[in-house]
Amino acid sequence: MTQDGEIVLRGHPGIGPRVEGEALVSHQGFSARYDLNRKTGVFSREAHDLYGQSIVGKVLVHTTAKGGVATAWALLDMRAQGTAPLGIIFQTANPIMAQGAALAELPLMDRLDPDPLSVIESGDWLVVDPPAGEVRVRKRKG
């Protein structure tokens, strides 16, 4: 923890530029193809723990990536429509999701220490810096 009260998560360098935004945390996996309405950026699969919530302007934090090649082009499509998240953090990503994030120019990081799901809650403010391999967490107040 820093003097400013931030929690710092570190790992290997990720993909994409530095961004800041509010966290949206799920304890389930993520598929850009099957979990979302790509036109609105809202979770549309009723069985998902983020059902009904929008990813637009948020940093997603998930356990793992789900899906195949379709999830990669879905991220690119969402970026073009303005419904993509600001960035994505996984406990563990997969090559397809990394490919999709790179194509869509979205920040993506994984394998951070400490485990992001043990530290980050929805509503926390995140500074995601993939080139530095670092995520700074400012806990929400209240």
Side-chain angles (χ1 to χ4, degrees):
M1 186 175 291
T2 68
Q3 292 180 342
D4 297 334
E6 292 181 332
I7 300 167
V8 181
L9 290 68
R10 297 186 194 285
H12 62 93
I15 295 168
R18 180 184 182 275
V19 293
E20 292 188 31
E22 184 179 334
L24 183 61
V25 178
S26 170
H27 291 272
Q28 296 182 1
F30 172 67
S31 168
R33 171 78 164 94
Y34 297 110
D35 292 334
L36 297 168
N37 176 328
R38 291 190 313 278
K39 294 186 186 295
T40 62
V42 173
F43 275 88
S44 57
R45 190 168 60 82
E46 291 183 17
H48 201 283
D49 63 353
L50 295 179
Y51 175 71
Q53 296 194 49
S54 175
I55 67 168
V56 179
K58 305 278 177 68
V59 177
L60 298 178
V61 181
H62 286 272
T63 55
T64 190
K66 300 185 305 187
V69 174
T71 204
W73 65 255
L75 285 177
L76 182 60
D77 181 47
M78 293 175 66
R79 176 69 179 225
Q81 294 188 58
T83 59
L86 284 176
I88 307 171
I89 297 170
F90 290 109
Q91 285 177 317
T92 306
N94 66 21
I96 298 298
M97 191 63 80
Q99 177 188 24
L103 286 171
E105 300 177 358
L106 294 174
L108 182 140
M109 296 185 70
D110 75 343
R111 293 178 281 157
L112 295 163
D113 184 32
D115 178 353
L117 287 171
S118 71
V119 174
I120 302 170
E121 299 173 275
S122 290
D124 289 345
W125 190 259
L126 305 179
V127 178
V128 181
D129 192 347
E134 181 178 282
V135 174
R136 292 181 173 266
V137 182
R138 295 181 197 137
K139 301 302 287 181
R140 67 179 169 186
K141 295 186 172 139

